[in-house]
Amino acid sequence: MASAFEYAPAPESRAIVDIAPSYGLFIDGEFTEAADGKVFKTVSPSTEEVLSEIAQAGEADVDRAVKAARKAFEEWSALPGSERAKYLFRIARIIQERSRELAVLETLDNGKPIKETRDADLPLVAAHFFYYAGWADKLDHAGFGANPRPLGVAGQVIPWNFPLLMLAWKIAPALATGNTVVLKPAETTPLSALFFADICRQAGLPKGVVNIVTGDGRTGAALVAHPDVNKVAFTGSTAVGKEIARTVAGSRKKLTLELGGKGANIVFDDAPIDQAVEGIVNGIFFNQGQVCCAGSRLLVQESIQDELLDALKRRLSTLRLGDPLDKNTDIGAINSEEQLTRITSLVEQGEAEGAERWSPACELPESGYWFAPTLFTNVTQAHRIARDEIFGPVLSVLTFRTPDEAVAKANNTPYGLSAGIWTEKGSRILAVANKLRAGVVWSNTFNKFDPTSPFGGYKESGFGREGGRHGLEAYLDV
Amino acid sequence: MPTNALTAAHALTDVTASDSMLRRFLHGLPGVDAVGLEGRAASLGTRSIKTTAKAYAIDLAISMVDLTTLEGADTPGKVRALGAKAVHPDPTDRTTPATAAVCVYPDMVATAKEAVAGSTVKVASVATAFPAGRAPLAVKLADVREAVAAGADEIDMVIDRGAFLAGHYRKVYDEIVAVKEACGTSARLKVIFETGELSTYDNIRRASWLGMLAGADFIKTSTGKVAVNATPANTLLMLEAVRDFRTQTGIQVGVKPAGGIRTTKDAIKFLVLVNETAGEDWLDNHWFRFGASSLLNDLLMQRQKLATGRYSGPDYVTVD
């Protein structure tokens, strides 16, 4: 942004984080190397700097982790809920105490702006542990009958877009309900999970209750397929989710899947325009659009299309892209080269199909993986960019004329994770929300999360709910 | 900018023909979602302003201050001291910019004018039965004419909040038009809404448009005499209003938050709001002001700290 008032760089110091040159697997309370000694590297997406070497867990390692979790399950599940709560509260407090360190770490490993890890991710991570700590001794009153039983060993596979937050969503309810855990973080963002392992030790959590196995898809596949895992929880792409569903089918494992999305953000002509613009920006450019519930399809009422698009473009011109550790950065780096390639190819298809591409004037750093915020107009339902999840900072703009048309278009997707409604008319909010097939419908806001609120999808966005009282069900034998 | 800016402005004057037409227009403006507005203001408040940007911001903020004394106990001596400070805010460092204006009651305008003679500092006066605005229009207009005759460069008028809240938009509009006329060509008009008394954000947006339609050169949050004065949210909202008004009519209107802004940190947050909402066209003291009296000393102390690396303390700046 060319302005008389140029903000000087305000980088957060990375001195607060001490990243070791290599990390092992966290099994039975100890860090240990992979049985076959294989390792892979994790890089910082904004600079391509190698941050550390991480152990690649094989089948034998996964088996060891599951065994440790099985052994720990006996004691952990037998503890009174109030005792488990103490550990969870302790973990929550340590996360708060170490939040600056974890925020910097997450930004380094993931590429998202420090503003988001500091102000969104970390407070939510702590809040999830606090919230489920509160449930641990009240499970009899959660609506699942008296004395609901835990399932056993939970195998959990999480994505790279919110590494620590997804860990919290998975581990907090699992532990609160008396399960033990083997968790596999994403290959590109393993570090915060390994730091979490250290937090478990700091909290004095009994050995084996939480185990972290790092690695790529093969590690995840081994964990999901392990015969002694009782519950599988997965957040990630729909393609992998389908594979997992096939693997688990016919076994007695309980499964929850939280998969992709193509959320519709519906703006009616009586919407609070300035706030709608903020909500659209937050809906698609938060975490560089690498959010499964992103509002990646903007459905705008034709009568205000021009006005809204002008306002949106003006607003996009003020977004600041660059060093994610800079406290003034709004848009950070794309998580991996692979993801950048996928975004680029989908955007090229959008252009080839005749949609009109627009980005604000924006300089991209020379190293690292970057993609400028992008807007597509003249998009129709038939375009691939209106159907496929791009998982990047790319917004497709469609129009509608009547509320019925808005609902029909919003629902016309294989996904069903999130949607947004912008209107000043309360009755319309309720009427439209009732007709939308999406797990979360936000009105006059977007991308707001809270541990007390259940989250999950319809159709190809998966099944099962995380968060809230509903989130307990996935870890209880009910 | 629309090429037919004048036509657009003319079209907008049609909506002021009657109470009901004004109501239809003002109530047809996009609504304001309070949670979203406050969220946006808070998120802009987290911008980190350091080093060169901070030095620039402090000088800019000093140059935007309307140094104000509005006490029943004001004396010519007090006003002269204020004027001297406005011209040279920091006597130990002559590179410090002058403030934008001194703001006084109408009977002090002549004294203030003398005190700032030969400098860039303007004299602003709160006329129109400030701060309540509860006087007959004739009295308000006389108040304005006296101030202008005494040499005021700027008039800060309060609107009739009672009429506004009762829906008598046309009455409010007419008063502003009349005051603007009384200002003549020599004085710029700042219209004060007393946002704390308007109570809702929708009302603040409507008042902003009403003021601009009636010819305000500046829209101003408050008098500084009530509990809730300038906030980041209501200022952000008014910045959106002037931005949209210029887009539609080609006419640029200034914004002045007043009351309750005491620290450099707060002032910089407001500058960020200006920068990222209305844009750099508003980043000078012709288009943006701070109505604040205690703010200036904090700005001066922070300026000294940037220059010397050490924080001096309140005895290193003047008390008035």
Side-chain angles (χ1 to χ4, degrees):
Chain A
M1 182 176 37
S3 162
F5 192 16
E6 287 285 355
Y7 307 154
E12 177 71 51
S13 164
R14 57 186 285 182
I16 194 169
V17 185
D18 194 8
I19 302 174
S22 70
Y23 284 94
L25 313 166
F26 185 68
I27 297 175
D28 206 18
E30 305 294 336
F31 280 102
T32 151
E33 280 177 27
D36 56 10
K38 280 193 185 147
V39 293
F40 64 95
K41 290 179 170 55
T42 187
V43 303
S44 186
S46 60
T47 58
E48 300 175 57
E49 168 202 1
V50 175
L51 294 171
S52 189
E53 253 183 18
I54 311 290
Q56 159 83 37
E59 275 180 34
D61 303 302
V62 169
D63 185 53
R64 244 186 333 139
V66 173
K67 283 205 169 83
R70 172 63 57 201
K71 203 175 102 212
F73 176 68
E74 299 301 319
E75 230 176 284
W76 180 252
S77 60
L79 282 181
S82 56
E83 283 299 308
R84 291 198 304 271
K86 281 187 195 169
Y87 288 108
L88 286 167
F89 276 123
R90 214 179 284 163
I91 289 172
R93 286 194 302 269
I94 296 171
I95 287 169
Q96 285 186 320
E97 281 161 16
R98 296 177 64 172
S99 67
R100 189 53 63 102
E101 173 194 0
L102 293 167
V104 173
L105 178 76
E106 195 85 314
T107 287
L108 282 170
D109 203 19
N110 170 282
K112 64 168 74 182
I114 184 79
K115 195 172 85 174
E116 289 178 10
T117 54
R118 180 194 65 192
D119 299 345
D121 293 19
L122 263 298
L124 277 170
V125 169
H128 268 271
F129 278 99
F130 276 119
Y131 175 74
Y132 279 111
W135 269 118
D137 62 349
K138 301 174 194 73
L139 298 175
D140 289 353
H141 311 288
F144 306 114
N147 194 21
R149 326 275 308 170
L151 297 168
V153 175
Q156 307 177 320
V157 179
I158 58 169
W160 45 258
N161 57 345
F162 291 92
L164 200 54
L165 184 60
M166 292 301 106
L167 174 148
W169 283 24
K170 297 279 183 293
I171 290 185
L175 297 194
T177 47
N179 301 272
T180 53
V181 164
V182 179
L183 176 129
K184 188 200 89 71
E187 186 187 2
T188 58
T189 56
L191 286 176
S192 51
L194 295 164
F195 273 58
F196 180 78
D198 184 52
I199 289 171
C200 292
R201 291 213 291 205
Q202 204 183 334
L205 192 72
K207 291 181 173 186
V209 173
V210 168
N211 305 274
I212 311 279
V213 289
T214 45
D216 55 20
R218 290 168 296 176
T219 312
L223 177 58
V224 168
H226 195 288
D228 206 22
V229 164
N230 305 95
K231 146 88 188 174
V232 171
F234 173 74
T235 296
S237 72
T238 294
V240 176
K242 286 180 179 171
E243 230 173 275
I244 289 174
R246 273 185 224 113
T247 309
V248 171
S251 74
R252 304 187 53 155
K253 288 173 192 168
K254 219 170 152 171
L255 175 67
T256 47
L257 295 173
E258 202 264 272
L259 309 173
K262 192 74 186 172
N265 212 351
I266 307 169
V267 183
F268 289 99
D269 58 6
D270 65 342
I273 297 286
D274 291 303
Q275 285 77 48
V277 167
E278 290 307 315
I280 294 162
V281 168
N282 186 33
I284 185 60
F285 301 113
F286 182 61
N287 198 9
Q288 294 72 249
Q290 302 168 133
V291 182
C292 47
C293 55
S296 51
R297 282 185 299 151
L298 174 63
L299 295 179
V300 51
Q301 194 150 12
E302 252 180 41
S303 52
I304 55 159
Q305 183 189 193
D306 294 344
E307 189 186 340
L308 186 76
L309 283 177
D310 285 349
L312 188 59
K313 286 178 178 175
R314 182 179 59 219
R315 176 66 177 86
L316 292 196
S317 306
T318 68
L319 284 176
R320 304 169 66 84
L321 178 145
D323 179 6
L325 276 176
D326 189 326
K327 290 170 211 161
N328 291 329
T329 292
D330 299 316
I331 305 262
I334 301 299
N335 182 252
S336 64
E337 194 170 8
E338 187 192 351
Q339 183 60 20
L340 180 60
T341 310
R342 181 183 153 74
I343 297 170
T344 310
S345 112
L346 278 165
V347 163
E348 279 164 5
Q349 280 197 29
E351 274 188 297
E353 285 173 354
E356 208 166 293
R357 178 180 177 175
W358 183 89
S359 285
C362 169
E363 223 174 278
L364 300 183
E366 277 170 14
S367 60
Y369 318 126
W370 301 90
F371 199 87
T374 299
L375 203 135
F376 271 111
T377 49
N378 291 337
V379 180
T380 73
Q381 287 289 99
H383 284 126
R384 198 168 164 205
I385 48 168
R387 310 207 67 81
D388 283 15
E389 185 182 38
I390 298 176
F391 223 64
V394 182
L395 179 67
S396 299
V397 183
L398 298 97
T399 60
F400 68 90
R401 291 158 299 178
T402 64
D404 287 344
E405 189 182 347
V407 169
K409 281 184 170 167
N411 286 338
N412 180 219
T413 164
Y415 297 108
L417 197 50
S418 74
I421 304 169
W422 296 84
T423 169
E424 283 277 281
K425 196 165 172 167
S427 58
R428 182 179 287 153
I429 292 173
L430 298 174
V432 173
N434 269 330
K435 291 179 195 152
L436 291 174
R437 289 197 297 273
V440 191
V441 179
W442 284 291
S443 70
N444 291 339
T445 189
F446 211 91
N447 270 345
K448 284 279 186 293
F449 304 96
D450 190 283
T452 65
S453 173
F455 183 91
Y458 278 46
K459 297 189 277 185
E460 293 209 8
S461 291
F463 47 80
R465 292 294 180 261
E466 295 182 293
R469 189 184 62 81
H470 304 70
L472 293 166
E473 189 179 351
Y475 290 93
L476 290 171
D477 185 13
V478 291
Chain B
M1 217 51 40
T3 48
N4 55 344
L6 278 175
T7 330
H10 190 73
L12 281 174
T13 58
D14 290 346
V15 305
T16 60
S18 67
D19 257 351
S20 63
M21 290 194 61
L22 257 174
R23 180 177 306 107
R24 216 167 297 154
F25 174 78
L26 296 176
H27 288 249
L29 293 168
V32 185
D33 185 79
V35 175
L37 176 73
E38 287 167 11
R40 171 69 176 153
S43 86
L44 284 175
T46 66
R47 288 279 190 235
S48 181
I49 306 298
K50 294 236 151 72
T51 58
T52 50
K54 189 173 180 183
Y56 174 82
I58 288 175
D59 277 6
L60 184 61
I62 292 172
S63 78
M64 288 171 166
V65 167
D66 279 2
L67 197 58
T68 303
T69 182
L70 295 170
E71 293 166 18
D74 284 344
T75 59
K78 161 105 185 177
V79 169
R80 277 195 290 273
L82 195 75
K85 177 154 184 170
V87 176
H88 294 298
D90 185 348
T92 65
D93 182 353
R94 290 289 168 121
T95 65
T96 313
T99 69
V102 288
C103 182
V104 295
Y105 276 119
D107 62 329
M108 289 293 171
V109 167
T111 312
K113 199 71 192 163
E114 264 171 51
V116 301
S119 75
T120 57
V121 178
K122 307 267 193 260
V123 173
S125 181
V126 290
T128 66
F130 181 93
R134 301 247 69 92
L137 181 58
V139 174
K140 293 180 183 176
L141 293 176
D143 204 14
V144 172
R145 286 193 199 103
E146 291 282 333
V148 173
D153 305 295
E154 297 168 0
I155 295 295
D156 291 30
M157 81 168 279
V158 285
I159 64 161
D160 182 342
R161 283 85 79 189
F164 184 90
L165 290 171
H168 302 317
Y169 297 129
R170 179 65 207 227
K171 177 165 191 268
V172 180
Y173 174 85
D174 285 343
E175 280 202 7
I176 300 171
V177 170
V179 172
K180 170 77 180 166
E181 204 182 297
C183 287
T185 49
S186 60
R188 289 174 89 203
L189 176 64
K190 306 194 193 104
V191 177
I192 306 173
F193 302 133
E194 200 67 297
T195 49
E197 292 185 351
L198 296 188
S199 166
T200 70
Y201 289 124
D202 286 331
N203 273 346
I204 297 171
R205 174 166 285 171
R206 289 169 193 150
S208 300
W209 278 80
L210 184 59
M212 293 186 291
L213 288 171
D217 297 300
F218 257 93
I219 53 176
K220 175 173 166 184
T221 57
S222 40
T223 59
K225 302 281 186 193
V226 297
V228 180
N229 293 291
T231 64
N234 62 29
T235 306
L236 172 59
L237 179 55
M238 285 162 64
L239 286 162
E240 288 168 354
V242 295
R243 177 198 67 198
D244 294 345
F245 189 75
R246 191 180 74 171
T247 306
Q248 290 201 23
T249 65
I251 299 165
Q252 186 162 346
V253 175
V255 176
K256 177 176 171 185
I261 307 163
R262 293 194 177 83
T263 65
T264 301
K265 209 173 171 180
D266 284 342
I268 290 178
K269 284 180 187 176
F270 279 87
L271 292 181
V272 170
L273 294 178
V274 179
N275 190 33
E276 300 204 25
T277 306
E280 61 182 299
D281 288 354
W282 270 265
L283 275 176
D284 72 50
N285 69 8
H286 197 70
W287 300 115
F288 194 79
R289 294 282 177 84
F290 288 108
S293 33
S294 57
L295 170 64
L296 181 59
N297 271 359
D298 194 64
L299 287 165
L300 295 175
M301 284 190 278
Q302 290 298 330
R303 194 177 190 275
Q304 290 174 355
K305 184 179 173 231
L306 269 188
T308 65
R310 281 172 295 279
Y311 190 72
S312 49
D315 284 344
Y316 291 79
V317 290
T318 56
V319 289
D320 59 16

